[in-house]
Amino acid sequence: MQEKTYLKWYNKVGYGSGDIAGNVVYAFLSSFVMIYLTNTVGMNPGIVGSLIAASKFFDGITDIFFGAMIDKTKSRLGKARPWMLYAYIGCAVTLAAIFAIPADLGTTAQYTWFFIAYNLLNAVFYTANNIAYSALTALVTKNSKERVQMGSCRFIFAFGTSLVIQSITIGAVAYFGGGAVGWRTVAIIYSLVGLAVNTISVLSVKELPEEELHESGAEEGPGPEEKYGLMDAARLLAANRFYLMICGVYILQQVYGAMLNMGIYYMTYVLKNENLYGVFSWAINIPLIAVLVVTPTLVARWKGMYRLNLRGYMLGTFGRAMVVVAGYLGSVPLMLIFTGVAALGQGPWQGDMNAVIAACSEYTWLTKNRRVDGTMYSCTSLGVKLGGGLGTAVAGWMLAASGFDGSLAVQSESCIRMLYFMYLWLPMLINLVITLVLSRMNVEDANEKLKQCNSSDRSAHSLR
């Protein structure tokens, strides 16, 4: 029986454009905040890393909180859309604030300014916006193919935005005067662009009525749905092994991305050409975008997401291993080729990740008879913040431990060795761990077995 469809092509494109807004925040922040703070403001990378790590204590509380709040929201716009719409105003303001640290402030005041703005952006506004945006996948359609298409569409925009930002930002900062003025101007422009696109994305889809969302679940689940509180939601997530796996993979992915973002240091001090950072961005993002276009077709051809994701990451791990070899050979062309190979392998998971999370939410419904769609998607914000923040913090600590000095044109030998480890070895090792986790993440098969078991139970009950 063919699944009912809910969305037109423009709904999917409009939804996907929301990741332009998300990535003018995330890609800009993760790619350039450290080099802005160390080389323009003059901050110590180790202290910055410690401040970012400390902020994760605040972040850990807000993910499940906002997920639960979304689940409980009832409004004219639905559950998730109001949070996505209004939270982005705070994202825009705090992003601009991070890149507008006054030069005449004292050192302590500058660190305090950064810490407050960074926490408000990550722990409050970005959390609410990102969880709501991700949760829409499960709230605007029940069609699994449409969910994969939505995921592919959003990540095409995400990687396309990352590509543009990583390619033009250094030149744009110089164009607007360089230094603190250039960074502040670029941050304000990105904030305004994100605010406009986020609004368009919110208005491009409509959430399904609750009775329709729960319609099929009433037939598949073991009994009537019950209300739950915040602690109940946390226990439900902890009891779902697939949620824990997805959180782990998401965090590792963001640490991986943070290490690649340190490529700006690798290009500047190892390859002696900071403009290569944009070239490597093309080698990463163009293959990812190409694979995302065909991911829905690949999922259908492979009859599910599990084998496609696993074998894709096996290819990704091989690609990063060869980047290590090419790096020590000193061959930039080979590094670019195998960077592209690694990105090809990682593409399918990026495209169907939201559909996997939706399947993970279904697993909780089938095992616990609770709908926690908004709370389930907290893993996206949790992963982005913990992984990206942890990756940036670790990078700062490593730079400080290696003796990095932003005022020097040539870094010490110990710093160069650390940059090799951060940019070449760590991404390969992270890909290997993700591959091992994905080998255990067959949530589709688990759901199918549960459905068959529930169907058999109902048949036996009807016979009695």
Side-chain angles (χ1 to χ4, degrees):
M1 182 177 175
Q2 189 172 1
E3 286 188 278
K4 177 183 176 181
T5 59
Y6 296 85
L7 304 174
K8 304 292 186 182
W9 68 268
Y10 50 82
N11 300 126
K12 300 168 192 173
V13 172
Y15 168 82
S17 70
D19 245 320
I20 296 176
N23 275 275
V24 296
V25 172
Y26 183 73
F28 181 46
L29 189 68
S30 60
S31 295
F32 298 107
V33 70
M34 184 64 79
I35 202 162
Y36 159 72
L37 294 174
T38 59
N39 290 24
T40 299
V41 184
M43 291 184 177
N44 181 287
I47 296 176
V48 172
S50 297
L51 292 175
I52 290 174
S55 76
K56 299 305 112 182
F57 288 103
F58 298 101
D59 288 356
I61 300 170
T62 58
D63 291 284
I64 295 175
F65 170 77
F66 279 114
M69 290 298 292
I70 289 168
D71 283 331
K72 296 176 183 298
T73 296
K74 296 180 185 293
S75 76
R76 181 175 56 85
L77 289 174
K79 290 177 174 289
R81 291 199 300 158
W83 291 94
M84 180 181 169
L85 178 64
Y86 298 118
Y88 200 88
I89 298 171
C91 288
V93 172
T94 50
L95 178 67
I98 287 172
F99 286 88
I101 299 174
D104 56 355
L105 284 180
T107 301
T108 301
Q110 287 181 330
Y111 284 118
T112 302
W113 178 295
F114 166 71
F115 186 68
I116 292 173
Y118 185 85
N119 271 289
L120 286 173
L121 175 60
N122 282 276
V124 181
F125 301 118
Y126 187 84
T127 296
N129 173 268
N130 188 255
I131 293 177
Y133 179 53
S134 297
L136 281 177
T137 305
L139 296 174
V140 302
T141 178
K142 297 192 293 181
N143 186 299
S144 58
K145 291 181 180 178
E146 287 184 333
R147 287 172 175 173
V148 173
Q149 291 165 351
M150 289 173 71
S152 291
C153 198
R154 71 171 287 192
F155 283 108
I156 287 172
F157 281 106
F159 294 121
T161 305
S162 295
L163 173 61
V164 171
I165 287 176
Q166 291 166 356
S167 298
I168 71 170
T169 295
I170 295 297
V173 170
Y175 176 81
F176 288 111
V181 173
W183 284 109
R184 181 173 63 247
T185 304
V186 170
I188 292 171
I189 292 171
Y190 286 165
S191 297
L192 293 174
V193 169
L195 194 59
V197 176
N198 182 76
T199 303
I200 293 170
S201 180
V202 169
L203 299 177
S204 68
V205 292
K206 287 187 177 181
E207 297 179 29
L208 297 175
E210 284 195 57
E211 55 271 19
E212 186 169 0
L213 282 171
H214 297 166
E215 200 172 58
S216 62
E219 296 175 3
E220 295 173 353
E225 184 179 6
E226 301 174 19
K227 295 181 179 180
Y228 64 92
L230 184 59
M231 293 306 298
D232 292 324
R235 282 191 288 267
L236 287 169
L237 296 182
N240 188 325
R241 69 182 188 275
F242 297 111
Y243 171 83
L244 299 178
M245 289 181 194
I246 291 173
C247 278
V249 170
Y250 218 117
I251 290 169
L252 287 170
Q253 280 183 300
Q254 300 306 313
V255 175
Y256 172 92
M259 292 302 112
L260 292 191
N261 288 332
M262 291 303 105
I264 187 68
Y265 289 94
Y266 187 88
M267 309 308 161
T268 302
Y269 298 109
V270 177
L271 299 182
K272 308 297 184 182
N273 185 355
E274 65 179 14
N275 292 320
L276 282 174
Y277 183 69
V279 177
F280 274 85
S281 178
W282 281 77
I284 294 168
N285 289 293
I286 293 300
L288 280 172
I289 292 169
V291 172
L292 288 170
V293 171
V294 299
T295 292
T297 302
L298 292 175
V299 170
R301 181 170 297 178
W302 287 56
K303 295 181 172 58
M305 299 174 281
Y306 170 71
R307 287 190 301 162
L308 178 62
N309 293 334
L310 176 58
R311 294 181 184 181
Y313 250 90
M314 291 171 66
L315 177 62
T317 303
F318 167 77
R320 288 310 305 183
M322 295 308 297
V323 171
V324 175
V325 174
Y328 281 96
L329 290 174
S331 173
V332 172
L334 281 178
M335 288 181 70
L336 288 167
I337 290 171
F338 286 111
T339 295
V341 171
L344 282 172
Q346 294 167 318
W349 168 255
Q350 301 290 347
D352 64 30
M353 185 192 311
N354 269 16
V356 174
I357 299 172
C360 185
S361 183
E362 184 181 16
Y363 180 82
T364 293
W365 168 250
L366 292 170
T367 55
K368 304 295 184 180
N369 195 31
R370 304 286 183 92
R371 295 219 75 92
V372 289
D373 298 311
T375 314
M376 187 65 64
Y377 278 90
S378 65
C379 64
T380 58
S381 177
L382 182 70
V384 167
K385 293 189 307 179
L386 284 183
L390 178 63
T392 304
V394 169
W397 293 332
M398 287 180 169
L399 286 174
S402 71
F404 173 81
D405 185 342
S407 65
L408 299 178
V410 178
Q411 298 297 324
S412 65
E413 186 60 32
S414 62
C415 181
I416 298 302
R417 286 196 300 270
M418 182 64 78
L419 291 175
Y420 269 92
F421 177 71
M422 291 165 62
Y423 189 71
L424 298 181
W425 285 100
L426 269 182
M428 185 271 290
L429 294 173
I430 290 170
N431 265 9
L432 178 60
V433 174
I434 290 175
T435 302
L436 295 175
V437 175
L438 289 180
S439 70
R440 309 284 297 178
M441 200 189 295
N442 197 349
V443 63
E444 297 165 284
D445 183 64
N447 284 349
E448 190 57 38
K449 289 178 180 177
L450 285 168
K451 289 176 184 177
Q452 291 175 0
C453 181
N454 289 338
S455 178
S456 297
D457 290 344
R458 286 195 300 271
S459 296
H461 181 75
S462 64
L463 289 174
R464 289 197 298 269

